[in-house]
Amino acid sequence: MTTWLNITQLLMVLPTALDRQLRDDAGLTHAHYRILAMLSAESDGSMRMTRLARKTGTTTTRLSHAVSALEERGWVERRACATDKRGQVAGLTDEGHAFLRTAAPGHVAEVRRLVFDHLTDEDVTRLGEITAKLLPVLTD
């Protein structure tokens, strides 16, 4: 029970802390930053919207609203999916890449301060192994 309560509290307070840092330093929510980061991790900087919704843990409707906000800033563009006329692809623009390059150092420093600075290398390895077991159940 103690472990479960710790996990649930972490899942509540960590995103709030990360959101605060990103809003203060970069003028962006953590949810929007996560979309940009997910796109930047792809070799071509783009991802089908349905897959992006799954990977960011949101609904397609919420993702659509978030992508619209990112489009307004010029950081993301949407286009039709080449293999499925009904689908859409979100792609990171050059401006989006540039924004991430400026926002990432502060975000990485905050993640390190809040999480990784308190863990040993062994802890980090174990945490990676544990999350690798849980994520497929939650994202498939």
Side-chain angles (χ1 to χ4, degrees), residues 15 19-20 34 39 48-50 55-56 59 62 74 82 84 96:
D19 196 59
R20 186 178 315 112
R34 187 157 164 69
L39 292 174
R48 190 159 170 164
M49 292 281 287
T50 51
K55 288 189 71 78
T56 56
T59 65
R62 284 188 180 168
D84 179 359

PDB file of all heavy atoms in Angstrom, residues 15 19-20 34 39 48-50 55-56 59 62 74 82 84 96:
ATOM      1  N   PRO A  15       4.282  15.962 -12.488  1.00  0.00           N
ATOM      2  CA  PRO A  15       3.846  16.758 -13.650  1.00  0.00           C
ATOM      3  C   PRO A  15       3.547  18.220 -13.296  1.00  0.00           C
ATOM      4  O   PRO A  15       3.837  19.129 -14.079  1.00  0.00           O
ATOM      5  CB  PRO A  15       2.577  16.045 -14.128  1.00  0.00           C
ATOM      6  CG  PRO A  15       2.742  14.644 -13.655  1.00  0.00           C
ATOM      7  CD  PRO A  15       3.457  14.761 -12.327  1.00  0.00           C
ATOM      8  N   ASP A  19       5.423  21.222 -15.011  1.00  0.00           N
ATOM      9  CA  ASP A  19       4.591  22.214 -15.681  1.00  0.00           C
ATOM     10  C   ASP A  19       4.958  23.624 -15.210  1.00  0.00           C
ATOM     11  O   ASP A  19       5.086  24.546 -16.017  1.00  0.00           O
ATOM     12  CB  ASP A  19       3.113  21.922 -15.398  1.00  0.00           C
ATOM     13  CG  ASP A  19       2.183  22.640 -16.337  1.00  0.00           C
ATOM     14  OD1 ASP A  19       2.299  22.411 -17.564  1.00  0.00           O
ATOM     15  OD2 ASP A  19       1.346  23.421 -15.862  1.00  0.00           O
ATOM     16  N   ARG A  20       5.154  23.784 -13.919  1.00  0.00           N
ATOM     17  CA  ARG A  20       5.511  25.090 -13.350  1.00  0.00           C
ATOM     18  C   ARG A  20       6.824  25.599 -13.954  1.00  0.00           C
ATOM     19  O   ARG A  20       6.930  26.752 -14.364  1.00  0.00           O
ATOM     20  CB  ARG A  20       5.619  24.980 -11.832  1.00  0.00           C
ATOM     21  CG  ARG A  20       5.831  26.298 -11.113  1.00  0.00           C
ATOM     22  CD  ARG A  20       5.892  26.149  -9.582  1.00  0.00           C
ATOM     23  NE  ARG A  20       4.865  25.280  -9.044  1.00  0.00           N
ATOM     24  CZ  ARG A  20       5.084  24.091  -8.484  1.00  0.00           C
ATOM     25  NH1 ARG A  20       6.312  23.607  -8.386  1.00  0.00           N
ATOM     26  NH2 ARG A  20       4.086  23.368  -8.006  1.00  0.00           N
ATOM     27  N   ARG A  34       5.780  17.994 -24.037  1.00  0.00           N
ATOM     28  CA  ARG A  34       5.878  16.548 -24.277  1.00  0.00           C
ATOM     29  C   ARG A  34       5.544  16.208 -25.720  1.00  0.00           C
ATOM     30  O   ARG A  34       6.178  15.340 -26.322  1.00  0.00           O
ATOM     31  CB  ARG A  34       4.956  15.817 -23.307  1.00  0.00           C
ATOM     32  CG  ARG A  34       5.090  14.335 -23.348  1.00  0.00           C
ATOM     33  CD  ARG A  34       4.619  13.706 -22.047  1.00  0.00           C
ATOM     34  NE  ARG A  34       4.388  12.286 -22.178  1.00  0.00           N
ATOM     35  CZ  ARG A  34       5.337  11.384 -22.362  1.00  0.00           C
ATOM     36  NH1 ARG A  34       6.585  11.745 -22.439  1.00  0.00           N
ATOM     37  NH2 ARG A  34       5.036  10.106 -22.473  1.00  0.00           N
ATOM     38  N   LEU A  39       7.693  14.345 -30.888  1.00  0.00           N
ATOM     39  CA  LEU A  39       7.913  14.535 -32.323  1.00  0.00           C
ATOM     40  C   LEU A  39       9.403  14.633 -32.638  1.00  0.00           C
ATOM     41  O   LEU A  39       9.873  14.060 -33.625  1.00  0.00           O
ATOM     42  CB  LEU A  39       7.180  15.786 -32.819  1.00  0.00           C
ATOM     43  CG  LEU A  39       5.654  15.708 -32.805  1.00  0.00           C
ATOM     44  CD1 LEU A  39       5.045  17.054 -33.176  1.00  0.00           C
ATOM     45  CD2 LEU A  39       5.151  14.607 -33.735  1.00  0.00           C
ATOM     46  N   ARG A  48       2.017  10.114 -36.690  1.00  0.00           N
ATOM     47  CA  ARG A  48       0.575  10.075 -36.901  1.00  0.00           C
ATOM     48  C   ARG A  48      -0.132  10.511 -35.612  1.00  0.00           C
ATOM     49  O   ARG A  48       0.288  10.162 -34.509  1.00  0.00           O
ATOM     50  CB  ARG A  48       0.164   8.671 -37.295  1.00  0.00           C
ATOM     51  CG  ARG A  48      -1.255   8.632 -37.745  1.00  0.00           C
ATOM     52  CD  ARG A  48      -1.520   7.457 -38.582  1.00  0.00           C
ATOM     53  NE  ARG A  48      -2.964   7.412 -38.747  1.00  0.00           N
ATOM     54  CZ  ARG A  48      -3.574   6.727 -39.625  1.00  0.00           C
ATOM     55  NH1 ARG A  48      -2.880   5.993 -40.452  1.00  0.00           N
ATOM     56  NH2 ARG A  48      -4.871   6.740 -39.715  1.00  0.00           N
ATOM     57  N   MET A  49      -1.189  11.284 -35.748  1.00  0.00           N
ATOM     58  CA  MET A  49      -1.867  11.873 -34.595  1.00  0.00           C
ATOM     59  C   MET A  49      -2.380  10.816 -33.613  1.00  0.00           C
ATOM     60  O   MET A  49      -2.260  10.994 -32.410  1.00  0.00           O
ATOM     61  CB  MET A  49      -3.016  12.776 -35.050  1.00  0.00           C
ATOM     62  CG  MET A  49      -2.569  14.036 -35.763  1.00  0.00           C
ATOM     63  SD  MET A  49      -1.999  15.321 -34.645  1.00  0.00           S
ATOM     64  CE  MET A  49      -3.550  15.866 -33.953  1.00  0.00           C
ATOM     65  N   THR A  50      -2.926   9.714 -34.113  1.00  0.00           N
ATOM     66  CA  THR A  50      -3.447   8.692 -33.203  1.00  0.00           C
ATOM     67  C   THR A  50      -2.318   8.070 -32.378  1.00  0.00           C
ATOM     68  O   THR A  50      -2.482   7.819 -31.186  1.00  0.00           O
ATOM     69  CB  THR A  50      -4.207   7.590 -33.963  1.00  0.00           C
ATOM     70  OG1 THR A  50      -3.387   7.110 -35.036  1.00  0.00           O
ATOM     71  CG2 THR A  50      -5.518   8.111 -34.521  1.00  0.00           C
ATOM     72  N   LYS A  55       1.028   7.872 -27.249  1.00  0.00           N
ATOM     73  CA  LYS A  55       2.341   8.045 -26.628  1.00  0.00           C
ATOM     74  C   LYS A  55       2.362   9.171 -25.601  1.00  0.00           C
ATOM     75  O   LYS A  55       3.156   9.144 -24.669  1.00  0.00           O
ATOM     76  CB  LYS A  55       3.412   8.279 -27.688  1.00  0.00           C
ATOM     77  CG  LYS A  55       3.717   6.999 -28.484  1.00  0.00           C
ATOM     78  CD  LYS A  55       4.907   7.150 -29.376  1.00  0.00           C
ATOM     79  CE  LYS A  55       6.202   7.212 -28.683  1.00  0.00           C
ATOM     80  NZ  LYS A  55       6.778   5.971 -28.205  1.00  0.00           N
ATOM     81  N   THR A  56       1.507  10.164 -25.769  1.00  0.00           N
ATOM     82  CA  THR A  56       1.464  11.266 -24.815  1.00  0.00           C
ATOM     83  C   THR A  56       0.401  11.056 -23.746  1.00  0.00           C
ATOM     84  O   THR A  56       0.248  11.881 -22.843  1.00  0.00           O
ATOM     85  CB  THR A  56       1.226  12.615 -25.521  1.00  0.00           C
ATOM     86  OG1 THR A  56       0.024  12.547 -26.294  1.00  0.00           O
ATOM     87  CG2 THR A  56       2.402  12.988 -26.408  1.00  0.00           C
ATOM     88  N   THR A  59      -6.276  11.951 -25.145  1.00  0.00           N
ATOM     89  CA  THR A  59      -7.266  11.578 -26.153  1.00  0.00           C
ATOM     90  C   THR A  59      -6.938  12.279 -27.463  1.00  0.00           C
ATOM     91  O   THR A  59      -6.229  13.292 -27.477  1.00  0.00           O
ATOM     92  CB  THR A  59      -8.684  11.996 -25.713  1.00  0.00           C
ATOM     93  OG1 THR A  59      -8.740  13.435 -25.645  1.00  0.00           O
ATOM     94  CG2 THR A  59      -9.049  11.376 -24.368  1.00  0.00           C
ATOM     95  N   ARG A  62      -8.193  15.957 -27.259  1.00  0.00           N
ATOM     96  CA  ARG A  62      -7.291  16.855 -26.516  1.00  0.00           C
ATOM     97  C   ARG A  62      -6.006  17.105 -27.284  1.00  0.00           C
ATOM     98  O   ARG A  62      -5.485  18.221 -27.295  1.00  0.00           O
ATOM     99  CB  ARG A  62      -6.974  16.284 -25.143  1.00  0.00           C
ATOM    100  CG  ARG A  62      -8.109  16.434 -24.173  1.00  0.00           C
ATOM    101  CD  ARG A  62      -7.688  16.038 -22.785  1.00  0.00           C
ATOM    102  NE  ARG A  62      -8.812  16.205 -21.890  1.00  0.00           N
ATOM    103  CZ  ARG A  62      -8.865  15.750 -20.668  1.00  0.00           C
ATOM    104  NH1 ARG A  62      -7.835  15.084 -20.182  1.00  0.00           N
ATOM    105  NH2 ARG A  62      -9.917  15.941 -19.927  1.00  0.00           N
ATOM    106  N   GLY A  74       3.581  28.206 -34.605  1.00  0.00           N
ATOM    107  CA  GLY A  74       4.483  27.877 -35.706  1.00  0.00           C
ATOM    108  C   GLY A  74       5.438  26.746 -35.410  1.00  0.00           C
ATOM    109  O   GLY A  74       6.408  26.539 -36.136  1.00  0.00           O
ATOM    110  N   ALA A  82      -0.136  10.025 -45.707  1.00  0.00           N
ATOM    111  CA  ALA A  82       0.060   9.543 -47.075  1.00  0.00           C
ATOM    112  C   ALA A  82      -0.549   8.159 -47.301  1.00  0.00           C
ATOM    113  O   ALA A  82      -0.948   7.833 -48.416  1.00  0.00           O
ATOM    114  CB  ALA A  82       1.548   9.515 -47.407  1.00  0.00           C
ATOM    115  N   ASP A  84      -3.178   6.817 -45.412  1.00  0.00           N
ATOM    116  CA  ASP A  84      -4.576   6.717 -44.980  1.00  0.00           C
ATOM    117  C   ASP A  84      -5.206   8.102 -45.062  1.00  0.00           C
ATOM    118  O   ASP A  84      -4.895   8.979 -44.262  1.00  0.00           O
ATOM    119  CB  ASP A  84      -4.634   6.176 -43.546  1.00  0.00           C
ATOM    120  CG  ASP A  84      -6.060   6.053 -43.010  1.00  0.00           C
ATOM    121  OD1 ASP A  84      -7.020   6.396 -43.727  1.00  0.00           O
ATOM    122  OD2 ASP A  84      -6.201   5.609 -41.859  1.00  0.00           O
ATOM    123  N   GLY A  96       9.878  24.871 -34.336  1.00  0.00           N
ATOM    124  CA  GLY A  96       9.645  23.976 -33.203  1.00  0.00           C
ATOM    125  C   GLY A  96      10.932  23.358 -32.696  1.00  0.00           C
ATOM    126  O   GLY A  96      11.167  23.265 -31.488  1.00  0.00           O
TER     127      GLY A  96
END
